Amino acid sequence: MNFEGIYCFDTASVRFAFYPEGPGGPRVVAQISEETLHDEFGAREIGDRLLETCRRYFHVIEPVAIARYQAGQHGAITLTVDDFALHA
């Protein structure tokens, strides 16, 4: 799936969309913290440059977001370092 995202300065995170049921299903928005992108993916960028990191690793980020959604978290989904420790 193509990466759709924006950098949010107020939360120091990248907010992105994903489609847990495929392209014809609902569009869900989640976010991943700047700290997580630095710690888990070795990103050295800051601010809106982190969009490229998300794009590069979306094949890893998206399944984690889908798993959180399928686990019943339909409210705000924020991915943290802990989410990726379970999928390492």
Side-chain angles (χ1 to χ4, degrees), residues 18-84:
F18 65 99
Y19 300 83
E21 297 171 19
R27 180 178 188 263
V28 179
V29 176
Q31 63 184 16
I32 184 168
S33 70
E34 188 172 289
E35 175 186 17
T36 301
L37 291 168
H38 289 165
D39 293 350
E40 289 300 311
F41 299 102
R44 296 294 164 240
E45 299 83 10
I46 58 171
D48 60 356
R49 293 184 187 164
L50 287 170
L51 291 171
E52 183 54 38
T53 300
C54 284
R55 186 174 287 110
R56 189 175 323 120
Y57 291 103
F58 198 60
H59 67 284
V60 176
I61 295 168
E62 183 182 38
V64 174
I66 290 172
R68 288 276 298 275
Y69 176 84
Q70 290 174 339
Q73 184 171 351
H74 299 285
I77 297 174
T78 300
L79 302 180
T80 66
V81 171
D82 293 337
D83 293 301
F84 293 93

